[in-house]
PDB file of all heavy atoms in Angstrom:
ATOM      1  N   LEU E 135      48.973  21.326 -14.965  1.00 94.00           N
ATOM      2  CA  LEU E 135      49.149  22.780 -14.983  1.00 94.00           C
ATOM      3  C   LEU E 135      48.429  23.388 -13.785  1.00 94.00           C
ATOM      4  O   LEU E 135      47.225  23.167 -13.589  1.00 94.00           O
ATOM      5  CB  LEU E 135      48.596  23.371 -16.284  1.00 94.00           C
ATOM      6  CG  LEU E 135      48.578  24.902 -16.382  1.00 94.00           C
ATOM      7  CD1 LEU E 135      49.978  25.484 -16.252  1.00 94.00           C
ATOM      8  CD2 LEU E 135      47.930  25.346 -17.695  1.00 94.00           C
ATOM      9  N   PRO E 146      41.776  31.949 -19.585  1.00 82.00           N
ATOM     10  CA  PRO E 146      42.605  31.371 -20.653  1.00 82.00           C
ATOM     11  C   PRO E 146      41.879  30.250 -21.413  1.00 82.00           C
ATOM     12  O   PRO E 146      41.489  29.252 -20.813  1.00 82.00           O
ATOM     13  CB  PRO E 146      43.821  30.831 -19.898  1.00 82.00           C
ATOM     14  CG  PRO E 146      43.342  30.579 -18.511  1.00 82.00           C
ATOM     15  CD  PRO E 146      42.313  31.627 -18.235  1.00 82.00           C
ATOM     16  N   ALA E 147      41.708  30.422 -22.691  1.00 80.00           N
ATOM     17  CA  ALA E 147      41.086  29.399 -23.539  1.00 80.00           C
ATOM     18  C   ALA E 147      42.169  28.441 -24.017  1.00 80.00           C
ATOM     19  O   ALA E 147      42.698  28.554 -25.124  1.00 80.00           O
ATOM     20  CB  ALA E 147      40.370  30.051 -24.713  1.00 80.00           C
ATOM     21  N   LEU E 148      42.505  27.494 -23.185  1.00 84.00           N
ATOM     22  CA  LEU E 148      43.626  26.603 -23.459  1.00 84.00           C
ATOM     23  C   LEU E 148      43.275  25.552 -24.506  1.00 84.00           C
ATOM     24  O   LEU E 148      42.126  25.111 -24.614  1.00 84.00           O
ATOM     25  CB  LEU E 148      44.066  25.912 -22.159  1.00 84.00           C
ATOM     26  CG  LEU E 148      44.505  26.829 -21.009  1.00 84.00           C
ATOM     27  CD1 LEU E 148      44.851  26.003 -19.787  1.00 84.00           C
ATOM     28  CD2 LEU E 148      45.692  27.680 -21.423  1.00 84.00           C
ATOM     29  N   LYS E 149      44.308  25.116 -25.227  1.00 85.00           N
ATOM     30  CA  LYS E 149      44.177  24.012 -26.182  1.00 85.00           C
ATOM     31  C   LYS E 149      45.436  23.165 -26.066  1.00 85.00           C
ATOM     32  O   LYS E 149      46.403  23.338 -26.807  1.00 85.00           O
ATOM     33  CB  LYS E 149      44.003  24.544 -27.604  1.00 85.00           C
ATOM     34  CG  LYS E 149      42.732  25.335 -27.817  1.00 85.00           C
ATOM     35  CD  LYS E 149      42.607  25.821 -29.260  1.00 85.00           C
ATOM     36  CE  LYS E 149      41.334  26.617 -29.451  1.00 85.00           C
ATOM     37  NZ  LYS E 149      41.192  27.093 -30.869  1.00 85.00           N
ATOM     38  N   LEU E 150      45.431  22.268 -25.095  1.00 87.00           N
ATOM     39  CA  LEU E 150      46.584  21.412 -24.832  1.00 87.00           C
ATOM     40  C   LEU E 150      46.133  19.962 -24.902  1.00 87.00           C
ATOM     41  O   LEU E 150      45.331  19.513 -24.075  1.00 87.00           O
ATOM     42  CB  LEU E 150      47.180  21.722 -23.458  1.00 87.00           C
ATOM     43  CG  LEU E 150      47.773  23.131 -23.283  1.00 87.00           C
ATOM     44  CD1 LEU E 150      48.136  23.385 -21.833  1.00 87.00           C
ATOM     45  CD2 LEU E 150      48.989  23.309 -24.169  1.00 87.00           C
ATOM     46  N   SER E 151      46.642  19.243 -25.844  1.00 88.00           N
ATOM     47  CA  SER E 151      46.153  17.887 -26.089  1.00 88.00           C
ATOM     48  C   SER E 151      46.578  16.886 -25.026  1.00 88.00           C
ATOM     49  O   SER E 151      45.908  15.863 -24.826  1.00 88.00           O
ATOM     50  CB  SER E 151      46.637  17.408 -27.461  1.00 88.00           C
ATOM     51  OG  SER E 151      48.061  17.450 -27.523  1.00 88.00           O
ATOM     52  N   SER E 152      47.693  17.139 -24.301  1.00 91.00           N
ATOM     53  CA  SER E 152      48.199  16.145 -23.352  1.00 91.00           C
ATOM     54  C   SER E 152      47.842  16.449 -21.896  1.00 91.00           C
ATOM     55  O   SER E 152      48.110  15.631 -21.015  1.00 91.00           O
ATOM     56  CB  SER E 152      49.722  16.042 -23.485  1.00 91.00           C
ATOM     57  OG  SER E 152      50.332  17.289 -23.177  1.00 91.00           O
ATOM     58  N   LEU E 153      47.260  17.622 -21.602  1.00 93.00           N
ATOM     59  CA  LEU E 153      47.006  18.031 -20.217  1.00 93.00           C
ATOM     60  C   LEU E 153      45.956  17.132 -19.559  1.00 93.00           C
ATOM     61  O   LEU E 153      44.846  16.987 -20.068  1.00 93.00           O
ATOM     62  CB  LEU E 153      46.549  19.486 -20.171  1.00 93.00           C
ATOM     63  CG  LEU E 153      46.607  20.162 -18.790  1.00 93.00           C
ATOM     64  CD1 LEU E 153      48.055  20.283 -18.318  1.00 93.00           C
ATOM     65  CD2 LEU E 153      45.937  21.526 -18.817  1.00 93.00           C
ATOM     66  N   LYS E 154      46.314  16.560 -18.378  1.00 95.00           N
ATOM     67  CA  LYS E 154      45.405  15.683 -17.643  1.00 95.00           C
ATOM     68  C   LYS E 154      44.865  16.336 -16.367  1.00 95.00           C
ATOM     69  O   LYS E 154      43.770  15.999 -15.922  1.00 95.00           O
ATOM     70  CB  LYS E 154      46.121  14.383 -17.269  1.00 95.00           C
ATOM     71  CG  LYS E 154      46.510  13.527 -18.462  1.00 95.00           C
ATOM     72  CD  LYS E 154      47.186  12.238 -18.000  1.00 95.00           C
ATOM     73  CE  LYS E 154      47.538  11.371 -19.203  1.00 95.00           C
ATOM     74  NZ  LYS E 154      48.211  10.103 -18.787  1.00 95.00           N
ATOM     75  N   LYS E 155      45.642  17.255 -15.787  1.00 96.00           N
ATOM     76  CA  LYS E 155      45.219  17.901 -14.546  1.00 96.00           C
ATOM     77  C   LYS E 155      45.405  19.401 -14.671  1.00 96.00           C
ATOM     78  O   LYS E 155      46.495  19.879 -14.993  1.00 96.00           O
ATOM     79  CB  LYS E 155      46.029  17.371 -13.358  1.00 96.00           C
ATOM     80  CG  LYS E 155      45.592  17.921 -12.008  1.00 96.00           C
ATOM     81  CD  LYS E 155      46.332  17.248 -10.861  1.00 96.00           C
ATOM     82  CE  LYS E 155      45.846  17.773  -9.502  1.00 96.00           C
ATOM     83  NZ  LYS E 155      46.522  17.100  -8.367  1.00 96.00           N
ATOM     84  N   PHE E 156      44.328  20.165 -14.398  1.00 95.00           N
ATOM     85  CA  PHE E 156      44.364  21.619 -14.513  1.00 95.00           C
ATOM     86  C   PHE E 156      43.792  22.212 -13.225  1.00 95.00           C
ATOM     87  O   PHE E 156      42.613  22.011 -12.896  1.00 95.00           O
ATOM     88  CB  PHE E 156      43.545  22.069 -15.718  1.00 95.00           C
ATOM     89  CG  PHE E 156      43.571  23.565 -15.951  1.00 95.00           C
ATOM     90  CD1 PHE E 156      44.659  24.343 -15.569  1.00 95.00           C
ATOM     91  CD2 PHE E 156      42.497  24.205 -16.571  1.00 95.00           C
ATOM     92  CE1 PHE E 156      44.686  25.706 -15.784  1.00 95.00           C
ATOM     93  CE2 PHE E 156      42.510  25.572 -16.786  1.00 95.00           C
ATOM     94  CZ  PHE E 156      43.613  26.320 -16.392  1.00 95.00           C
ATOM     95  N   PHE E 170      37.320  25.774 -23.215  1.00 84.00           N
ATOM     96  CA  PHE E 170      38.657  25.421 -23.669  1.00 84.00           C
ATOM     97  C   PHE E 170      38.652  23.989 -24.198  1.00 84.00           C
ATOM     98  O   PHE E 170      37.697  23.241 -23.984  1.00 84.00           O
ATOM     99  CB  PHE E 170      39.707  25.602 -22.560  1.00 84.00           C
ATOM    100  CG  PHE E 170      39.308  25.048 -21.216  1.00 84.00           C
ATOM    101  CD1 PHE E 170      39.269  23.682 -20.976  1.00 84.00           C
ATOM    102  CD2 PHE E 170      38.994  25.911 -20.169  1.00 84.00           C
ATOM    103  CE1 PHE E 170      38.924  23.185 -19.737  1.00 84.00           C
ATOM    104  CE2 PHE E 170      38.639  25.415 -18.922  1.00 84.00           C
ATOM    105  CZ  PHE E 170      38.606  24.046 -18.708  1.00 84.00           C
ATOM    106  N   GLN E 171      39.725  23.610 -24.842  1.00 87.00           N
ATOM    107  CA  GLN E 171      39.836  22.297 -25.466  1.00 87.00           C
ATOM    108  C   GLN E 171      40.996  21.529 -24.825  1.00 87.00           C
ATOM    109  O   GLN E 171      42.162  21.745 -25.135  1.00 87.00           O
ATOM    110  CB  GLN E 171      40.074  22.452 -26.979  1.00 87.00           C
ATOM    111  CG  GLN E 171      38.934  23.095 -27.735  1.00 87.00           C
ATOM    112  CD  GLN E 171      37.671  22.252 -27.681  1.00 87.00           C
ATOM    113  OE1 GLN E 171      37.731  21.024 -27.800  1.00 87.00           O
ATOM    114  NE2 GLN E 171      36.551  22.915 -27.505  1.00 87.00           N
ATOM    115  N   LEU E 172      40.645  20.623 -23.931  1.00 91.00           N
ATOM    116  CA  LEU E 172      41.639  19.801 -23.242  1.00 91.00           C
ATOM    117  C   LEU E 172      41.181  18.346 -23.315  1.00 91.00           C
ATOM    118  O   LEU E 172      40.628  17.805 -22.356  1.00 91.00           O
ATOM    119  CB  LEU E 172      41.792  20.257 -21.784  1.00 91.00           C
ATOM    120  CG  LEU E 172      42.172  21.731 -21.573  1.00 91.00           C
ATOM    121  CD1 LEU E 172      42.140  22.090 -20.103  1.00 91.00           C
ATOM    122  CD2 LEU E 172      43.551  22.018 -22.160  1.00 91.00           C
ATOM    123  N   PRO E 173      41.382  17.680 -24.437  1.00 92.00           N
ATOM    124  CA  PRO E 173      40.793  16.354 -24.671  1.00 92.00           C
ATOM    125  C   PRO E 173      41.253  15.270 -23.702  1.00 92.00           C
ATOM    126  O   PRO E 173      40.540  14.270 -23.518  1.00 92.00           O
ATOM    127  CB  PRO E 173      41.225  16.026 -26.104  1.00 92.00           C
ATOM    128  CG  PRO E 173      42.410  16.904 -26.368  1.00 92.00           C
ATOM    129  CD  PRO E 173      42.175  18.146 -25.588  1.00 92.00           C
ATOM    130  N   SER E 174      42.425  15.417 -23.064  1.00 93.00           N
ATOM    131  CA  SER E 174      42.927  14.381 -22.144  1.00 93.00           C
ATOM    132  C   SER E 174      42.641  14.714 -20.681  1.00 93.00           C
ATOM    133  O   SER E 174      43.029  13.951 -19.782  1.00 93.00           O
ATOM    134  CB  SER E 174      44.438  14.201 -22.333  1.00 93.00           C
ATOM    135  OG  SER E 174      44.756  13.817 -23.650  1.00 93.00           O
ATOM    136  N   LEU E 175      41.972  15.827 -20.424  1.00 95.00           N
ATOM    137  CA  LEU E 175      41.786  16.312 -19.056  1.00 95.00           C
ATOM    138  C   LEU E 175      40.952  15.334 -18.221  1.00 95.00           C
ATOM    139  O   LEU E 175      39.886  14.891 -18.642  1.00 95.00           O
ATOM    140  CB  LEU E 175      41.104  17.683 -19.080  1.00 95.00           C
ATOM    141  CG  LEU E 175      41.123  18.456 -17.753  1.00 95.00           C
ATOM    142  CD1 LEU E 175      42.544  18.832 -17.379  1.00 95.00           C
ATOM    143  CD2 LEU E 175      40.248  19.706 -17.850  1.00 95.00           C
ATOM    144  N   GLN E 176      41.455  15.049 -16.991  1.00 96.00           N
ATOM    145  CA  GLN E 176      40.740  14.178 -16.052  1.00 96.00           C
ATOM    146  C   GLN E 176      40.436  14.897 -14.731  1.00 96.00           C
ATOM    147  O   GLN E 176      39.477  14.533 -14.059  1.00 96.00           O
ATOM    148  CB  GLN E 176      41.571  12.922 -15.761  1.00 96.00           C
ATOM    149  CG  GLN E 176      41.834  12.040 -16.968  1.00 96.00           C
ATOM    150  CD  GLN E 176      42.654  10.818 -16.612  1.00 96.00           C
ATOM    151  OE1 GLN E 176      42.909  10.527 -15.448  1.00 96.00           O
ATOM    152  NE2 GLN E 176      43.084  10.085 -17.635  1.00 96.00           N
ATOM    153  N   TYR E 177      41.245  15.889 -14.387  1.00 97.00           N
ATOM    154  CA  TYR E 177      41.114  16.578 -13.091  1.00 97.00           C
ATOM    155  C   TYR E 177      41.059  18.079 -13.352  1.00 97.00           C
ATOM    156  O   TYR E 177      41.983  18.644 -13.913  1.00 97.00           O
ATOM    157  CB  TYR E 177      42.311  16.230 -12.206  1.00 97.00           C
ATOM    158  CG  TYR E 177      42.250  16.758 -10.790  1.00 97.00           C
ATOM    159  CD1 TYR E 177      41.972  15.912  -9.732  1.00 97.00           C
ATOM    160  CD2 TYR E 177      42.497  18.105 -10.501  1.00 97.00           C
ATOM    161  CE1 TYR E 177      41.939  16.380  -8.421  1.00 97.00           C
ATOM    162  CE2 TYR E 177      42.453  18.583  -9.210  1.00 97.00           C
ATOM    163  CZ  TYR E 177      42.180  17.710  -8.168  1.00 97.00           C
ATOM    164  OH  TYR E 177      42.140  18.177  -6.871  1.00 97.00           O
ATOM    165  N   LEU E 178      39.962  18.726 -12.907  1.00 96.00           N
ATOM    166  CA  LEU E 178      39.787  20.159 -13.126  1.00 96.00           C
ATOM    167  C   LEU E 178      39.348  20.829 -11.829  1.00 96.00           C
ATOM    168  O   LEU E 178      38.305  20.499 -11.267  1.00 96.00           O
ATOM    169  CB  LEU E 178      38.752  20.418 -14.221  1.00 96.00           C
ATOM    170  CG  LEU E 178      38.426  21.889 -14.514  1.00 96.00           C
ATOM    171  CD1 LEU E 178      39.677  22.658 -14.931  1.00 96.00           C
ATOM    172  CD2 LEU E 178      37.346  22.003 -15.582  1.00 96.00           C
ATOM    173  N   HIS E 193      30.501  18.296 -21.925  1.00 91.00           N
ATOM    174  CA  HIS E 193      31.858  18.077 -22.415  1.00 91.00           C
ATOM    175  C   HIS E 193      32.332  19.202 -23.331  1.00 91.00           C
ATOM    176  O   HIS E 193      33.528  19.431 -23.480  1.00 91.00           O
ATOM    177  CB  HIS E 193      31.928  16.738 -23.160  1.00 91.00           C
ATOM    178  CG  HIS E 193      31.160  16.728 -24.446  1.00 91.00           C
ATOM    179  ND1 HIS E 193      29.788  16.675 -24.491  1.00 91.00           N
ATOM    180  CD2 HIS E 193      31.585  16.792 -25.740  1.00 91.00           C
ATOM    181  CE1 HIS E 193      29.399  16.690 -25.754  1.00 91.00           C
ATOM    182  NE2 HIS E 193      30.460  16.760 -26.534  1.00 91.00           N
ATOM    183  N   ASP E 195      32.095  22.335 -22.766  1.00 88.00           N
ATOM    184  CA  ASP E 195      32.673  23.403 -21.954  1.00 88.00           C
ATOM    185  C   ASP E 195      34.160  23.194 -21.731  1.00 88.00           C
ATOM    186  O   ASP E 195      34.942  24.152 -21.702  1.00 88.00           O
ATOM    187  CB  ASP E 195      31.970  23.483 -20.596  1.00 88.00           C
ATOM    188  CG  ASP E 195      30.501  23.839 -20.727  1.00 88.00           C
ATOM    189  OD1 ASP E 195      30.179  24.634 -21.628  1.00 88.00           O
ATOM    190  OD2 ASP E 195      29.696  23.324 -19.941  1.00 88.00           O
ATOM    191  N   PHE E 196      34.567  21.949 -21.575  1.00 89.00           N
ATOM    192  CA  PHE E 196      35.943  21.646 -21.210  1.00 89.00           C
ATOM    193  C   PHE E 196      36.703  20.917 -22.323  1.00 89.00           C
ATOM    194  O   PHE E 196      37.889  20.639 -22.164  1.00 89.00           O
ATOM    195  CB  PHE E 196      35.966  20.800 -19.936  1.00 89.00           C
ATOM    196  CG  PHE E 196      35.052  21.311 -18.860  1.00 89.00           C
ATOM    197  CD1 PHE E 196      34.008  20.538 -18.375  1.00 89.00           C
ATOM    198  CD2 PHE E 196      35.211  22.595 -18.359  1.00 89.00           C
ATOM    199  CE1 PHE E 196      33.165  21.011 -17.393  1.00 89.00           C
ATOM    200  CE2 PHE E 196      34.369  23.082 -17.373  1.00 89.00           C
ATOM    201  CZ  PHE E 196      33.333  22.297 -16.890  1.00 89.00           C
ATOM    202  N   GLY E 197      36.020  20.599 -23.383  1.00 89.00           N
ATOM    203  CA  GLY E 197      36.676  19.950 -24.506  1.00 89.00           C
ATOM    204  C   GLY E 197      37.204  18.569 -24.188  1.00 89.00           C
ATOM    205  O   GLY E 197      38.238  18.155 -24.718  1.00 89.00           O
ATOM    206  N   THR E 198      36.524  17.841 -23.327  1.00 92.00           N
ATOM    207  CA  THR E 198      36.970  16.499 -22.948  1.00 92.00           C
ATOM    208  C   THR E 198      35.777  15.647 -22.532  1.00 92.00           C
ATOM    209  O   THR E 198      34.764  16.166 -22.045  1.00 92.00           O
ATOM    210  CB  THR E 198      37.977  16.553 -21.786  1.00 92.00           C
ATOM    211  OG1 THR E 198      38.399  15.230 -21.462  1.00 92.00           O
ATOM    212  CG2 THR E 198      37.372  17.191 -20.550  1.00 92.00           C
ATOM    213  N   THR E 199      35.932  14.360 -22.688  1.00 94.00           N
ATOM    214  CA  THR E 199      34.934  13.401 -22.193  1.00 94.00           C
ATOM    215  C   THR E 199      35.548  12.486 -21.140  1.00 94.00           C
ATOM    216  O   THR E 199      34.919  11.501 -20.737  1.00 94.00           O
ATOM    217  CB  THR E 199      34.399  12.541 -23.356  1.00 94.00           C
ATOM    218  OG1 THR E 199      35.497  11.853 -23.980  1.00 94.00           O
ATOM    219  CG2 THR E 199      33.670  13.394 -24.377  1.00 94.00           C
ATOM    220  N   ASN E 200      36.766  12.819 -20.695  1.00 95.00           N
ATOM    221  CA  ASN E 200      37.484  11.959 -19.741  1.00 95.00           C
ATOM    222  C   ASN E 200      37.491  12.518 -18.321  1.00 95.00           C
ATOM    223  O   ASN E 200      38.155  11.967 -17.441  1.00 95.00           O
ATOM    224  CB  ASN E 200      38.938  11.773 -20.199  1.00 95.00           C
ATOM    225  CG  ASN E 200      39.029  11.099 -21.557  1.00 95.00           C
ATOM    226  OD1 ASN E 200      38.381  10.078 -21.790  1.00 95.00           O
ATOM    227  ND2 ASN E 200      39.829  11.673 -22.468  1.00 95.00           N
ATOM    228  N   LEU E 201      36.776  13.599 -18.088  1.00 96.00           N
ATOM    229  CA  LEU E 201      36.842  14.284 -16.795  1.00 96.00           C
ATOM    230  C   LEU E 201      36.294  13.394 -15.674  1.00 96.00           C
ATOM    231  O   LEU E 201      35.195  12.846 -15.779  1.00 96.00           O
ATOM    232  CB  LEU E 201      36.052  15.586 -16.863  1.00 96.00           C
ATOM    233  CG  LEU E 201      36.396  16.649 -15.816  1.00 96.00           C
ATOM    234  CD1 LEU E 201      37.842  17.085 -15.938  1.00 96.00           C
ATOM    235  CD2 LEU E 201      35.467  17.850 -15.957  1.00 96.00           C
TER     236      LEU E 201
END
Side-chain angles (χ1 to χ4, degrees):
L135 174 60
L148 301 178
K149 296 181 180 180
L150 296 171
S151 58
S152 61
L153 196 65
K154 294 181 178 180
K155 184 174 182 178
F156 182 29
F170 46 73
Q171 296 296 319
L172 303 174
S174 300
L175 193 66
Q176 297 180 9
Y177 186 105
L178 178 59
H193 68 286
D195 297 324
F196 314 119
T198 181
T199 58
N200 299 312
L201 201 61

